[in-house]
């Protein structure tokens, strides 16, 4: 079992014992996503869930919640915005530390020079370098915007 998932399971057990309903719901959601991934992997070469798989699941969950927050803010649903932010805080506990904007900018510039990207058409080459190197620690939506700006200018 992945070390990251062990931490999530321990946290879930503590939340159940502490009767922290919001936390239990979010952590159970993570466990459910992990089980879905296990089912998906049964047919492939890889049988075990790795920490990188768990990190990918957590990143997808973060992205979904951020999108939900945008929609709820447009709809004036402050109660639901707060609920999503609480879930984001819980998910972030298990993610590696995220890169700051300055670090992302520096990494994007390095990826552009390494990949030889010269125009917006080459953005995929630079993005591949970033994803190979910074999966789980970089906000790729921000990185995409920065790459676009750098390659257009």
């Amino acid at each position: 079992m992945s070390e990251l998932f062990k931490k999530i399971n321990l946290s879930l057990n503590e939340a159940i014992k502490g009767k922290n309903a919001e936390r239990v719901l979010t952590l159970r959601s993570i466990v459910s996503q992990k089980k879905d991934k296990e089912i998906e992997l049964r047919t492939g070469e890889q049988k075990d869930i790795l920490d990188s798989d768990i990190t990918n699941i957590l990143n997808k969950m973060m992205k979904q919640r951020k999108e939900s927050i945008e929609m709820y803010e447009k709809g004036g649903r402050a109660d639901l915005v707060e609920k999503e932010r609480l879930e984001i805080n819980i998910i972030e506990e298990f993610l590696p530390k995220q890169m700051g904007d300055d670090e992302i900018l520096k990494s994007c510039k390095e990826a552009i020079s390494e990949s030889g990207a010269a125009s917006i058409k080459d953005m995929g080459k630079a993005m591949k370098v970033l994803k190979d190197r910074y999966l789980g620690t970089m906000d790729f939506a921000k990185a995409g915007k920065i790459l676009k700006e750098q390659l257009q200018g």
Side-chain angles (χ1 to χ4, degrees):
M1 185 187 301
S2 102
E3 288 301 311
L4 184 54
F5 190 69
K6 284 180 186 174
K7 280 175 56 179
I8 292 168
N9 249 345
L10 281 172
S11 189
L12 175 59
N13 289 335
E14 289 169 11
I16 291 170
K17 287 176 187 170
K19 296 184 178 161
N20 185 339
E22 289 296 321
R23 193 169 174 80
V24 169
L25 280 173
T26 304
L27 295 172
R28 280 194 174 146
S29 176
I30 295 170
V31 171
S32 171
Q33 297 280 327
K34 178 213 173 241
K35 287 181 181 170
D36 289 346
K37 184 69 176 175
E38 284 176 333
I39 291 167
E40 178 186 320
L41 290 176
R42 281 185 194 157
T43 57
E45 296 290 314
Q46 176 188 337
K47 299 294 180 202
D48 294 327
I49 295 283
L50 305 173
D51 278 351
S52 60
D53 295 318
I54 301 290
T55 301
N56 287 339
I57 289 168
L58 295 174
N59 281 325
K60 283 180 189 172
M61 292 176 75
M62 288 286 286
K63 184 178 178 188
Q64 290 168 340
R65 274 136 190 92
K66 286 177 181 175
E67 289 169 357
S68 295
I69 286 173
E70 282 181 38
M71 289 179 11
Y72 293 146
E73 283 175 340
K74 287 177 186 170
R77 295 293 310 267
D79 55 327
L80 295 175
V81 168
E82 195 53 43
K83 180 183 176 294
E84 295 294 323
R85 284 204 175 114
L86 179 69
E87 288 187 17
I88 284 174
N89 291 338
I90 293 167
I91 294 167
E92 280 178 336
E93 290 176 32
F94 303 102
L95 281 170
K97 185 184 178 301
Q98 297 296 296
M99 296 172 80
D101 291 348
D102 294 339
E103 292 174 290
I104 293 173
L105 177 62
K106 182 179 175 226
S107 301
C108 285
K109 287 180 179 178
E110 288 171 4
I112 288 170
S113 66
E114 273 182 48
S115 65
S119 71
I120 205 88
K121 291 179 184 172
D122 300 327
M123 192 168 143
K125 291 179 188 175
M127 189 59 89
K128 183 182 181 339
V129 169
L130 293 174
K131 285 193 175 185
D132 289 345
R133 201 170 290 159
Y134 302 109
L135 189 66
T137 59
M138 180 182 279
D139 181 340
F140 291 108
K142 283 183 186 175
K145 288 176 187 170
I146 291 171
L147 285 176
K148 207 176 220 178
E149 289 168 10
Q150 295 290 316
L151 293 171
Q152 280 177 342

